[in-house]
């Protein structure tokens, strides 16, 4: 039988909230384990979705990603409701 996650694991899996710099839409990055939901066919991972303040998410979560950073970078790489012409002048560059 699997043991309950430790306090350190729970801290590592805390959700991250941010606001997309071009559109102002809120981004939520969170960890989810879809093993029970998919009857053992899906595993855990990091997901993201956009949501407007006070509303439920705009659609299904995108993911899974191996790390929270990968999910966050993917979310920032999307236009999230922005006019396609307004985002064409911007390029996301990873530093590091």
């Amino acid at each position: 039988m699997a043991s309950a996650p430790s306090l350190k694991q729970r801290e590592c899996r805390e959700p991250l909230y941010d606001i997309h710099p071009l559109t102002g839409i809120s981004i939520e990055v969170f960890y989810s384990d879809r093993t029970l939901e998919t009857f053992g066919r899906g595993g855990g991972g990091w997901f993201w979705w956009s949501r407007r303040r006070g509303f439920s998410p705009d659609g299904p979560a995108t993911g899974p990603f191996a790390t929270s950073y990968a999910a966050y970078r993917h979310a920032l790489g999307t236009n999230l409701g922005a006019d396609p012409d307004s985002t064409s002048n911007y390029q996301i560059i990873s530093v590091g």
Side-chain angles (χ1 to χ4, degrees), residues 2 18 27 36 45 68 80 88 90:
D18 200 4
I27 302 166
L36 292 174
S68 60
L80 291 176
S88 62
Y90 296 94

Side-chain angles (χ1 to χ4, degrees), residues 1-43:
M1 184 171 178
S3 63
S6 69
L7 181 59
K8 183 173 173 117
Q9 284 178 323
R10 278 184 263 147
E11 287 175 357
C12 292
R13 295 181 179 167
E14 288 293 317
L16 173 127
Y17 302 94
D18 200 4
I19 297 175
H20 194 279
L22 300 177
T23 64
I25 293 177
S26 297
I27 302 166
E28 180 180 2
V29 177
F30 58 94
Y31 184 85
S32 179
D33 189 350
R34 291 192 160 174
T35 303
L36 292 174
E37 178 184 341
T38 60
F39 300 101
R41 291 189 309 258

Side-chain angles (χ1 to χ4, degrees), residues 20 72-80 92:
H20 194 279
Y72 179 72
R73 294 299 294 177
H74 187 269
L76 289 182
T78 62
N79 63 6
L80 291 176
I92 296 175

